[in-house]
C-alpha cells in the first residue's frame, strides 16, 4: 500500500508549504485527481484540465478524505485543516511524485510503447505472468503524463511486476514517461502512421517511441518488433540486452503457420510443432503474443507455463471483440484507429468464416495531418480489392474518402452508405443489416462508433 508523509510529498515535488506541515499528520495511502473518486487518507493533486480545474474542488476533496493537496497557486478560502503544498506545475509534480513512489517498487516495471496493440499486449503480458507471479497492469489506456502516475501509485510495492502503457501524439511525451517509470523491461509493439499532426511522419513515430529506452534500466531488456529495420536503427543507442520478435524468421521470436478463427489466433513459435493459442482475433495478435513470450521468458517462467497462460488470456474491450447480437455478429474494434490497425481489422474481417454477409462500418482515422485523405483512400482501395465485403458503411468527414476510393476501384456504389456522424449512423444502420451478417466497426475514438454498436445490439 502507498504510504506517503507530507515531508516526502514536499521533497519529491520540490514544493513549498502554504500551511504548516505537521510531522504527526496521518500517512497518505492514495493519490487522487478527481473528487468523485476520493479515498480516505489521500493526497489530492489539483490538475487544471480543459473542462474542470481541480483548484475549484478543494472543499470536496477534503470532505472526501484528503489530508493534503498539491496546488499551483494559493487558493482562496481553502479548508482550514487541509495541508497545502504549492508547486509551479501540478501535472509535472504528479510525475515527480510517481517517480519517487516507483523507487520503492521492488518488482519489475514493464513499459509497453508502440503505435498499435499496446493495450492488447499489456493484457497478454499480464496473462503470461499472472498465473505464477503477482502483479498489476495500468487500467484501460492510462498511458500519458497523468495516466502513468495514476497507474504507479496504487501498485503494491511487494509485487513481482507492474505493466505500464506509454502513448504519444506529439514529440517529447515518451521520454518523461520512461524517465518517470524507470522500466526494467521495455516493449515496442510496432510503429505505424499515427498522430502525424504531432509526430510529422513515420520516422518521427519511430524516433518518439524509441525514447522508451531513455529510462530503461541499463541492465534491463528491450523487447522490440524486429520486422521493422528502421525502428531497430532508431534504437541504435541501446547497448543492453535485446529480444526481437515478429513474423520474419530472422527474429529471436517469430510466428509461422498463423491461423485465425472466431475462437482466436494460433501459431507455431520459432517453427516448432507445438502450437501457441491466444483467444484474441487477428493475425497481428500472434505478434503481440510473441512480445508477451519475450517478457515472460525474461521473468524466468517456463515455456509450458507461458503457453498455458496465454491460452487463458482476456482482451480489452472494443479491440476486435467478437460479440453475438440477436441477428448478427459484431467484430467490435471501435476504440481507436490508424492506417495499420484499420488494415489489420479489415484483414481479420476477411479471414473469419461467415455464413452471412460481411459488413464494414468504418469511420474517420484522426490526427493524420496532410496525409489524411490518402490514408483514407488507401482503405477504400483495400475494401474494393478484397472482393469479400458486401456492404460498406462510412461514418465521418474523412470516411467519405473511403467511400469515394472504394467506388473508384470498382466497389458497387449501391453497396455503399455514408453518414456524417455516429448518431445518424446509429439511426440508419440497423435497417441495412440482415440476419447472419458479420460486421466490423472500426474508427478513431472520437467518432464514437459505440453508438452504432449499441443501436445494432438493440436490433
Amino acid at each position: 500500500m502507498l504510504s506517503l508523509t507530507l515531508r516526502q510529498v514536499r521533497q519529491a515535488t520540490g514544493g513549498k508549504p502554504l500551511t504548516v506541515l505537521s510531522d504527526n499528520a496521518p500517512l497518505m495511502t492514495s493519490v487522487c485527481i478527481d473528487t468523485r473518486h476520493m479515498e480516505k487518507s489521500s493526497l489530492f493533486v489539483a490538475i487544471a484540465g480543459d473542462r474542470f480545474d481541480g483548484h475549484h474542488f478543494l472543499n470536496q476533496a477534503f470532505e472526501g478524505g484528503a489530508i493534503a493537496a498539491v496546488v499551483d497557486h494559493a487558493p482562496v478560502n481553502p479548508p482550514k485543516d487541509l495541508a497545502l503544498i504549492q508547486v509551479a506545475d501540478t501535472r509535472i509534480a504528479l510525475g515527480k511524485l510517481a517517480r519517487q513512489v516507483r523507487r520503492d517498487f521492488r518488482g519489475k516495471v514493464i513499459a509497453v510503447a508502440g503505435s498499435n496493440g499496446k493495450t492488447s499486449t499489456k493484457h497478454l503480458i499480464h496473462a503470461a505472468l499472472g498465473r505464477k507471479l503477482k502483479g498489476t497492469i495500468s487500467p484501460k489506456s492510462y498511458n500519458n503524463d497523468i495516466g502513468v502516475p495514476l497507474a504507479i501509485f496504487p501498485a503494491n510495492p511487494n509485487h513481482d511486476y507492474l505493466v505500464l502503457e506509454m502513448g504519444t501524439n506529439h514529440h517529447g511525451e515518451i521520454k518523461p514517461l520512461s524517465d518517470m517509470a524507470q522500466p526494467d523491461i521495455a516493449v515496442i509493439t510496432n510503429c505505424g502512421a499515427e498522430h502525424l499532426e504531432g509526430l510529422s511522419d513515420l520516422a518521427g513515430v519511430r524516433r518518439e517511441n524509441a525514447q522508451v529506452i531513455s529510462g530503461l534500466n541499463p541492465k534491463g531488456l528491450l523487447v522490440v518488433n524486429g520486422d521493422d529495420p528502421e525502428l531497430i536503427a532508431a534504437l541504435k543507442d541501446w547497448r543492453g540486452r535485446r529480444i526481437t520478435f515478429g513474423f520474419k524468421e530472422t527474429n529471436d521470436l517469430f510466428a509461422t503457420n498463423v491461423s485465425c478463427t472466431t475462437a482466436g489466433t494460433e501459431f507455431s513459435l520459432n517453427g516448432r510443432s507445438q502450437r501457441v493459442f491466444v483467444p484474441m482475433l487477428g493475425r497481428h495478435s500472434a505478434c503481440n503474443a510473441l512480445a508477451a513470450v519475450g517478457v515472460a521468458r525474461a521473468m524466468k517462467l517456463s515455456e509450458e507455463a507461458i503457453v498455458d497462460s496465454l491460452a487463458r488470456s482476456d482482451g480489452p474491450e472494443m479491440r476486435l471483440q467478437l460479440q453475438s447480437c440477436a441477428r448478427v455478429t459484431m467484430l467490435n474494434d471501435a476504440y481507436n484507429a490508424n492506417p495499420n490497425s484499420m488494415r489489420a481489422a479489415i484483414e481479420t474481417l476477411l479471414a473469419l468464416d461467415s455464413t452471412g454477409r460481411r459488413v464494414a462500418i468504418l469511420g474517420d482515422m484522426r490526427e493524420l495531418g496532410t496525409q489524411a485523405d490518402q490514408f483514407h483512400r488507401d482503405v477504400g482501395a483495400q475494401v474494393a480489392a478484397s472482393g469479400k465485403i458486401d456492404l460498406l458503411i462510412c461514418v465521418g468527414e474523412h470516411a467519405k474518402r473511403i467511400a469515394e476510393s472504394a467506388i473508384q476501384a470498382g466497389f458497387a456504389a449501391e453497396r455503399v452508405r455514408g453518414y456524417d456522424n455516429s448518431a445518424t449512423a446509429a439511426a440508419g444502420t440497423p435497417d441495412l443489416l440482415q440476419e447472419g451478417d458479420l460486421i466490423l466497426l472500426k474508427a478513431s475514438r472520437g467518432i464514437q462508433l459505440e453508438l452504432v454498436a449499441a443501436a445494432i445490439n438493440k436490433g
Side-chain angles (χ1 to χ4, degrees), residues 123-459:
H123 279 259
L124 286 167
I125 292 170
H126 189 37
L129 301 180
R131 288 170 60 81
K132 297 292 184 180
L133 304 173
K134 292 182 179 180
T136 54
I137 61 175
S138 55
K140 299 181 180 179
S141 290
Y142 276 34
N143 62 17
N144 63 6
D145 64 329
I146 292 178
V148 172
L150 293 180
I152 291 174
F153 292 134
N156 187 322
N158 296 313
H159 273 179
D160 300 303
Y161 67 89
L162 168 64
V163 189
L164 301 172
E165 185 177 332
M166 295 184 179
T168 178
N169 60 16
H170 61 266
H171 291 295
E173 282 193 282
I174 295 291
K175 184 180 186 303
L177 296 180
S178 182
D179 291 344
M180 177 200 309
Q182 298 286 292
D184 300 287
I185 301 173
V187 177
I188 304 179
T189 58
N190 53 67
C191 287
E194 61 155 358
H195 304 302
L196 298 187
E197 289 179 355
L199 295 173
S200 304
D201 53 21
L202 187 50
V205 176
R206 292 187 178 102
R207 287 195 302 272
E208 178 62 20
N209 280 285
Q211 289 300 305
V212 74
I213 66 174
S214 171
L216 181 57
N217 184 336
K219 296 182 180 179
L221 173 67
L222 174 64
V223 181
V224 58
N225 192 316
D227 287 346
D228 185 347
E230 292 176 315
L231 173 59
I232 299 298
L235 293 160
K236 64 182 184 301
D237 291 337
W238 174 248
R239 303 299 181 188
R241 290 189 299 145
R242 174 183 303 182
I243 291 176
T244 59
F245 65 90
F247 294 110
K248 295 179 181 178
E249 296 187 11
T250 51
N251 289 299
D252 299 311
L253 298 170
F254 59 89
T256 57
N257 302 318
V258 181
S259 62
C260 303
T261 68
T262 55
T265 303
E266 192 175 44
F267 62 94
S268 296
L269 175 60
N270 288 14
R272 299 173 189 164
S273 59
Q274 182 186 27
R275 302 285 279 170
V276 180
F277 173 78
V278 289
M280 293 185 183
L281 302 180
R283 185 172 183 267
H284 59 280
S285 295
C287 212
N288 296 339
L290 290 174
V293 170
V295 171
R297 281 183 172 183
M299 297 290 285
K300 309 300 184 184
L301 295 185
S302 70
E303 196 92 349
E304 181 181 1
I306 295 169
V307 172
D308 182 60
S309 296
L310 286 176
R312 303 165 188 260
S313 57
D314 293 315
E317 293 183 355
M318 292 198 299
R319 269 86 159 189
L320 282 177
Q321 275 189 312
L322 202 62
Q323 303 169 338
S324 295
C325 307
R327 299 187 302 137
V328 301
T329 300
M330 278 195 299
L331 188 58
N332 191 343
D333 199 18
Y335 189 83
N336 220 333
N338 58 43
N340 279 4
S341 67
M342 182 71 82
R343 187 180 307 111
I346 293 172
E347 289 173 353
T348 303
L349 173 66
L350 302 176
L352 296 178
D353 291 331
S354 176
T355 57
R357 302 181 305 170
R358 288 184 176 83
V359 179
I361 303 177
L362 309 179
D364 290 0
M365 300 178 288
R366 299 264 175 101
E367 298 183 43
L368 293 178
T370 59
Q371 301 177 66
D373 276 2
Q374 186 56 54
F375 282 125
H376 286 84
R377 290 187 180 280
D378 291 344
V379 172
Q382 181 188 6
V383 169
S386 73
K388 295 172 68 175
I389 293 176
D390 301 287
L391 177 63
L392 173 63
I393 298 173
C394 299
V395 184
E397 185 63 30
H398 286 300
K400 293 177 181 178
R401 309 289 89 77
I402 297 176
E404 293 170 359
S405 177
I407 293 170
Q408 289 171 0
F411 197 87
E414 62 269 20
R415 292 192 283 128
V416 178
R417 296 290 186 277
Y419 296 96
D420 290 336
N421 53 59
S422 284
T424 55
T429 295
D431 292 337
L432 301 174
L433 303 179
Q434 300 175 7
E435 186 168 349
D437 284 349
L438 175 62
I439 305 160
L440 168 66
L441 293 95
K442 182 70 173 174
S444 283
R445 188 71 190 90
I447 297 298
Q448 295 183 299
L449 278 189
E450 64 269 20
L451 298 178
V452 182
I456 294 172
N457 264 316
K458 289 180 180 178

